[in-house]
Amino acid sequence: MLAVVLAAGTGSRMGLTAKATPKGLLKVAGREILYRTLHQLRECGVDSFIIVTNRRFAPAYRDFCRRNRFKCQVIENPHPEKGNGYSLYLAKPYITARFVVVMSDHVYEDAFVKRAVNGTGLIFDRLGVYIRKGEATKVKVEAGRVTAVGKNLPAYDGFDTGFFVLDREVLDVAEELLKTREKLELSELVETAGVPSTQLSGYFWMDVDTPEERKLAKHYLIKLSVKGTGDGWISRLINRKISTRISKYLVDYLTPNQITFLTFLFGIFSALVNFYSIPLAGVLYQISSILDGVDGEIARASTRTSKLGGYIDSVLDRYVDFIFLLVLACAIKPDFFFWIVISFAIFGSVMVSYSTERYKAAFFEDVYKVVPAMKYLLGKRDERIFLTMLMCLFNQVKALFVILAVLSNLRVILTLILVWKTKRAEIVL
Amino acid sequence: MLAVVLAAGTGSRMGLTAKATPKGLLKVAGREILYRTLHQLRECGVDSFIIVTNRRFAPAYRDFCRRNRFKCQVIENPHPEKGNGYSLYLAKPYITARFVVVMSDHVYEDAFVKRAVNGTGLIFDRLGVYIRKGEATKVKVEAGRVTAVGKNLPAYDGFDTGFFVLDREVLDVAEELLKTREKLELSELVETAGVPSTQLSGYFWMDVDTPEERKLAKHYLIKLSVKGTGDGWISRLINRKISTRISKYLVDYLTPNQITFLTFLFGIFSALVNFYSIPLAGVLYQISSILDGVDGEIARASTRTSKLGGYIDSVLDRYVDFIFLLVLACAIKPDFFFWIVISFAIFGSVMVSYSTERYKAAFFEDVYKVVPAMKYLLGKRDERIFLTMLMCLFNQVKALFVILAVLSNLRVILTLILVWKTKRAEIVL
């Protein structure tokens, strides 16, 4: 399948930066708007692209496609003032079947694109949760077909998401219309051709016209990048609220792998601080736990997720936890018997992770999805670290080790029991 | 797809036991011969079965199918003396398309069945690695079609594996032949109809006619049940040689889960023996390492593999290793600084497993397959345990902990580096 990107607008409302860079190539949450959209489309099997732009921006778009290895054809529209319906018409010679049309300045979440490519005609959103409804383009639908598109419709059924799945015939209508008029907007074309419509509501999408909207889009992308599974209570209630703010700031400057590495160093540093001050070390450890969410958030928000990154991050986390507990143990100068408790605490802490990861390796599925009770079991990393901070602050390090030794190993035993019960039941079914 | 099982023979050569039980229901390596074959066929999409047997055995086969939830139709052949070609002919009313024919007394390895169902006609084996060639049924092939089948052919191209993929038309030939004669063997039918042939050589298969062959089949099934990946040098050179012998003995008496549990108890016991005698504990620990291979071997040989069993086994192994090292540590009464070494040894030992399992959880593939160098890296469980035994025997426990602390953590770091390099290269490609 093929997609046409309409990118001939001059982006005048974007202010100074946009004079040099076309809107589609502005970065939102660490990635060009267009990169995100083309990447999402490619993941859904749409892998050929036609970008219709003006003369001034064509070289930048050509360079962008080459650099990122997108299969693109960049077409110049010598008369952008003739409207984006005319831009679309210029792509006609390349189109042989059903095709997708997207705007170069719209940002979508992955789930939206995944569903939208399977829709027909104009994709509209009844709710428009994330957009400023006053300024949005509205759509009126009758019997499944678009009857009116515009900013000031007296009555409407939803909002134009800037995403279309069209049949080739629409371009014949455009050709016909352009015989009698100079200018053609896509909205007029869609109205006249009476294209079908598909409702797709509640997902994140927005067009990025102003610097404020660019900020807002980044805000939502980071918020949506929080992966639920595996987060404990502390992550949900505290860590994620702070880490997303940090991510919003860092996403423009650092890659996920750089953050993974820095977070690792910070974690090891927090461990060593135990030699100097245990309460301070505890606080730094909790900060490192918050920072630990940032790499994943940035990776997802900037479409840079990698299994390799996740793998390295997990192994390094285990080392941070181990070194922290070991240095903390040394700092309290334990006797022979207490070293046994410490050993159980250190071992149990890794085993919490081991028992869930080994599950995934065996069953190729997430234990938190299959055994929902696991989500509410205490003892996940964020919870252990928060507890560690509290106990360090209140000078209860010995009690901490006892609790960790019991809690973590108990959690592993409960994991085994829950998995056994769930999987046995599956076999009997 | 449908399979016809020919099971009307009386199994006279099997001796006394076979008088009561039909040959197809005799257990080989913990499973009825027929269970194995039907299970393998079902895994390949052949899920309806017709068993043609004699009057005496029909109730036993019906009971077997009901108990094991196979979709079976059991047909009685009132005249087994008319030959197995006649038995096949009795299945005619149920057959509407291409179908599989297997003998009730043939044992195959999974890989054979997986390929054979995609073959055509008589499946023959040029090599016959696992069979007594003198007594085997030979096949002569010309231009891809079977021209002669028999025990005493002057010249032949391979051996009859007892596995056929036939077209419905063969049954018309059988009908025609039975008009003029009283008795029809499948071999005659195949010759006369000139069915096609498919060569499939080198896999394990054999027919089980005598108690000796039954033993031999068990021997091979256990041998083939050794899973290569993840085995270190000690497993390959020592442990597997002993564990397969134990498996051969235990496969008839215990389930894999029972063995997992007993091995776990034995491992914990070996750990506690450290309080009494460190050299003895070391030897027992090595024995538990050998026993640890048995559950998997028996599971694979008796078609009882379960991801759940593998999962539980892995987590319990981690606890055995931890408890052993911890008790051993206590037994040598370490000072403050040596506890740090012990902590690294305990942590590193889990991390060896964690780093490979976490890889599988991330990439859904085996790290040993993707990064072959990993296979030769020292520090796998079998190697660590063997080293532990040696050092316990030679009273070098302190040196052992130093080596384990360095070796295991070094292995994890090398794993990270190798994975990083391999996966980075994949991304660039």
Side-chain angles (χ1 to χ4, degrees):
Chain A
M1 215 173 169
L2 180 144
V4 179
V5 179
L6 301 182
T10 51
S12 54
R13 289 173 64 201
M14 196 44 92
L16 269 171
T17 27
K19 291 253 161 75
T21 317
K23 238 178 2 167
L25 300 187
L26 278 182
K27 286 192 178 179
V28 170
R31 279 288 194 199
E32 296 90 347
I33 296 176
L34 197 56
Y35 183 100
R36 187 183 311 279
T37 311
L38 299 195
H39 179 78
Q40 287 166 330
L41 284 168
R42 200 162 51 182
E43 294 282 299
C44 299
V46 182
D47 61 350
S48 285
F49 306 101
I50 292 171
I51 301 175
V52 189
T53 184
N54 57 45
R55 286 213 167 133
R56 190 150 59 90
F57 292 154
Y61 278 114
R62 285 208 181 91
D63 183 54
F64 162 82
C65 290
R66 200 173 45 244
R67 235 174 34 238
N68 294 294
R69 302 191 195 190
F70 286 115
K71 230 173 87 191
C72 279
Q73 177 84 29
V74 176
I75 301 179
E76 290 178 27
N77 177 352
H79 303 291
E81 72 283 358
K82 284 189 172 183
N84 58 3
Y86 178 69
S87 283
L88 178 61
Y89 166 70
L90 291 178
K92 195 181 175 210
Y94 302 92
I95 290 166
T96 54
R98 187 166 243 238
F99 63 104
V100 170
V101 179
V102 282
M103 305 300 126
S104 69
D105 61 354
H106 278 50
V107 174
Y108 305 97
E109 74 169 294
D110 296 352
F112 177 94
V113 176
K114 213 172 272 175
R115 280 161 185 83
V117 290
N118 295 317
T120 339
L122 182 154
I123 314 294
F124 73 99
D125 181 340
R126 269 188 205 284
L127 306 170
V129 181
Y130 298 91
I131 56 168
R132 269 192 268 181
K133 294 181 186 112
E135 294 176 19
T137 304
K138 284 91 179 171
V139 182
K140 179 88 193 120
V141 172
E142 259 163 57
R145 297 203 167 258
V146 177
T147 54
V149 181
K151 298 221 171 194
N152 303 308
L153 298 186
Y156 55 86
D157 297 289
F159 303 95
D160 174 4
T161 64
F163 196 111
F164 303 80
V165 184
L166 299 177
D167 287 316
R168 214 188 160 283
E169 287 68 39
V170 174
L171 298 169
D172 300 334
V173 178
E175 188 159 19
E176 209 52 48
L177 287 171
L178 281 163
K179 283 180 186 161
T180 58
R181 52 161 95 186
E182 275 293 291
K183 196 171 183 300
L184 179 65
E185 292 295 341
L186 182 57
S187 54
E188 299 171 274
L189 173 59
V190 162
E191 270 178 30
T192 317
V195 303
S197 65
T198 302
Q199 197 232 120
L200 185 59
S201 303
Y203 294 99
F204 169 66
W205 63 270
M206 61 185 284
D207 51 339
V208 179
D209 278 336
T210 63
E212 291 70 42
E213 284 173 343
R214 194 178 162 195
K215 261 194 179 164
L216 198 65
K218 174 158 104 175
H219 169 82
Y220 285 128
L221 285 172
I222 295 279
K223 256 187 100 173
L224 288 165
S225 74
V226 172
K227 201 182 71 180
T229 57
D231 273 12
W233 293 104
I234 301 300
S235 266
R236 268 170 275 171
L237 296 174
I238 303 171
N239 296 4
R240 289 297 186 185
K241 300 217 161 88
I242 306 170
S243 63
T244 46
R245 275 158 222 255
I246 300 170
S247 294
K248 244 178 270 176
Y249 179 74
L250 291 181
V251 70
D252 295 323
Y253 305 104
L254 293 172
T255 68
N257 283 342
Q258 286 166 342
I259 293 165
T260 300
F261 186 64
L262 291 175
T263 307
F264 170 66
L265 290 185
F266 189 84
I268 297 292
F269 170 73
S270 77
L272 299 178
V273 170
N274 276 308
F275 286 128
Y276 170 73
S277 156
I278 290 178
L280 179 61
V283 173
L284 292 176
Y285 190 29
Q286 165 62 18
I287 292 175
S288 90
S289 170
I290 293 170
L291 290 176
D292 191 44
V294 172
D295 48 8
E297 289 165 16
I298 288 188
R300 283 182 289 274
S302 66
T303 63
R304 281 190 174 82
T305 50
S306 96
K307 291 168 179 178
L308 181 59
Y311 172 68
I312 303 274
D313 185 38
S314 288
V315 176
L316 294 183
D317 280 354
R318 302 291 83 73
Y319 272 94
V320 168
D321 292 350
F322 167 61
I323 302 288
F324 191 93
L325 290 181
L326 185 61
V327 178
L328 182 60
C330 291
I332 61 165
K333 306 225 177 343
D335 61 12
F336 177 85
F337 285 105
F338 205 72
W339 270 112
I340 297 174
V341 176
I342 291 166
S343 299
F344 269 95
I346 286 176
F347 178 72
S349 297
V350 206
M351 284 305 287
V352 169
S353 306
Y354 181 85
S355 57
T356 55
E357 295 299 343
R358 182 64 180 77
Y359 179 94
K360 203 170 178 185
F363 296 99
F364 292 173
E365 62 188 16
D366 207 302
V367 70
Y368 297 109
K369 283 191 188 146
V370 182
V371 190
M374 287 284 300
K375 271 188 254 174
Y376 308 105
L377 267 188
L378 284 176
K380 291 197 193 70
R381 183 171 198 247
D382 54 325
E383 294 158 349
R384 294 199 309 271
I385 293 180
F386 191 75
L387 177 75
T388 304
M389 176 188 68
L390 288 183
M391 304 297 265
C392 286
L393 284 175
F394 293 107
N395 199 19
Q396 297 292 325
V397 175
K398 283 208 158 191
L400 168 70
F401 277 112
V402 174
I403 295 174
L404 284 182
V406 175
L407 187 73
S408 59
N409 289 291
L410 204 65
R411 188 187 159 94
V412 174
I413 294 168
L414 277 171
T415 303
L416 284 187
I417 294 172
L418 286 171
V419 167
W420 179 268
K421 284 197 170 175
T422 311
K423 287 289 159 182
R424 275 275 131 166
E426 272 182 23
I427 293 166
V428 173
L429 282 173
Chain B
M1 216 173 170
L2 181 144
V4 179
V5 179
L6 301 183
T10 52
S12 53
R13 290 174 65 200
M14 195 45 91
L16 270 172
T17 26
K19 291 253 160 76
T21 317
K23 241 185 348 173
L25 300 187
L26 278 182
K27 287 192 178 180
V28 170
R31 280 288 195 197
E32 297 90 347
I33 297 176
L34 196 57
Y35 183 99
R36 187 183 312 278
T37 311
L38 299 195
H39 178 79
Q40 287 165 331
L41 285 168
R42 200 161 51 181
E43 295 284 298
C44 299
V46 182
D47 61 351
S48 285
F49 306 102
I50 292 171
I51 301 175
V52 189
T53 184
N54 57 45
R55 285 213 170 133
R56 190 150 60 90
F57 292 154
Y61 278 114
R62 285 207 182 91
D63 182 54
F64 163 81
C65 291
R66 201 174 42 244
R67 236 175 31 240
N68 296 293
R69 303 192 194 191
F70 286 116
K71 230 173 87 190
C72 279
Q73 178 85 28
V74 177
I75 301 179
E76 290 178 26
N77 178 352
H79 304 291
E81 72 284 357
K82 285 191 174 184
N84 58 3
Y86 179 70
S87 284
L88 178 61
Y89 166 70
L90 291 178
K92 195 181 176 213
Y94 303 92
I95 290 166
T96 53
R98 186 166 243 239
F99 62 104
V100 170
V101 179
V102 283
M103 305 299 127
S104 69
D105 61 353
H106 277 51
V107 174
Y108 305 97
E109 73 169 296
D110 296 352
F112 177 93
V113 177
K114 214 172 271 174
R115 281 162 185 80
V117 289
N118 295 317
T120 338
L122 182 153
I123 314 294
F124 73 99
D125 182 340
R126 269 190 203 285
L127 306 169
V129 181
Y130 298 92
I131 56 168
R132 269 191 268 183
K133 296 185 185 109
E135 294 177 18
T137 305
K138 285 93 179 169
V139 183
K140 180 89 192 121
V141 172
E142 258 164 58
R145 296 203 167 257
V146 177
T147 53
V149 182
K151 297 222 172 193
N152 304 307
L153 298 187
Y156 55 86
D157 298 290
F159 304 94
D160 175 4
T161 64
F163 197 111
F164 304 78
V165 183
L166 300 177
D167 286 317
R168 214 187 161 283
E169 286 67 42
V170 174
L171 299 169
D172 300 333
V173 179
E175 189 159 18
E176 207 52 46
L177 288 171
L178 282 164
K179 283 181 185 159
T180 59
R181 53 161 95 187
E182 275 293 292
K183 196 171 182 299
L184 179 65
E185 292 295 340
L186 182 57
S187 54
E188 300 171 274
L189 173 59
V190 161
E191 270 179 30
T192 316
V195 303
S197 66
T198 302
Q199 196 231 123
L200 185 59
S201 301
Y203 293 99
F204 168 67
W205 65 270
M206 61 183 285
D207 51 339
V208 179
D209 277 337
T210 63
E212 290 71 40
E213 285 173 342
R214 194 178 163 196
K215 260 195 183 163
L216 199 64
K218 174 158 104 174
H219 169 82
Y220 285 127
L221 284 172
I222 295 280
K223 254 187 100 172
L224 289 165
S225 75
V226 172
K227 203 182 69 179
T229 58
D231 273 12
W233 292 103
I234 302 300
S235 265
R236 269 170 276 170
L237 296 175
I238 304 171
N239 297 3
R240 289 297 187 186
K241 302 219 161 86
I242 306 169
S243 63
T244 47
R245 276 158 220 255
I246 300 171
S247 294
K248 244 179 270 174
Y249 180 73
L250 290 182
V251 71
D252 295 322
Y253 306 104
L254 293 172
T255 68
N257 284 342
Q258 286 166 341
I259 292 165
T260 300
F261 186 65
L262 292 175
T263 307
F264 170 67
L265 290 185
F266 188 84
I268 297 292
F269 170 72
S270 76
L272 299 178
V273 169
N274 275 308
F275 286 129
Y276 170 72
S277 156
I278 289 178
L280 179 60
V283 173
L284 292 176
Y285 190 30
Q286 167 60 20
I287 293 175
S288 89
S289 170
I290 293 171
L291 290 176
D292 190 45
V294 173
D295 47 8
E297 288 166 15
I298 288 188
R300 283 182 288 274
S302 66
T303 63
R304 281 189 175 83
T305 49
S306 96
K307 291 169 179 177
L308 180 59
Y311 172 68
I312 303 276
D313 186 38
S314 287
V315 176
L316 294 183
D317 280 353
R318 302 293 82 75
Y319 272 93
V320 167
D321 292 349
F322 168 60
I323 301 288
F324 190 93
L325 290 182
L326 184 62
V327 177
L328 183 61
C330 291
I332 61 165
K333 307 224 176 341
D335 61 11
F336 177 86
F337 286 105
F338 205 72
W339 271 112
I340 297 174
V341 175
I342 291 164
S343 299
F344 269 95
I346 286 176
F347 177 72
S349 297
V350 206
M351 284 306 287
V352 169
S353 305
Y354 181 85
S355 58
T356 55
E357 295 299 343
R358 181 65 179 78
Y359 179 94
K360 203 171 180 187
F363 296 99
F364 291 173
E365 62 187 17
D366 207 301
V367 71
Y368 296 109
K369 285 190 187 146
V370 182
V371 190
M374 287 285 299
K375 271 187 252 174
Y376 307 105
L377 267 188
L378 285 175
K380 290 197 193 71
R381 184 170 195 248
D382 55 323
E383 294 158 349
R384 294 198 310 271
I385 293 180
F386 191 75
L387 177 75
T388 304
M389 176 188 69
L390 288 183
M391 303 298 264
C392 285
L393 285 174
F394 294 107
N395 199 20
Q396 297 293 324
V397 176
K398 282 208 158 191
L400 168 70
F401 277 111
V402 174
I403 295 174
L404 285 182
V406 175
L407 187 73
S408 58
N409 288 291
L410 206 63
R411 188 187 159 95
V412 175
I413 294 167
L414 279 171
T415 304
L416 283 188
I417 293 172
L418 286 171
V419 167
W420 179 268
K421 283 198 169 172
T422 312
K423 287 289 158 183
R424 275 275 132 165
E426 272 182 23
I427 291 166
V428 174
L429 282 172

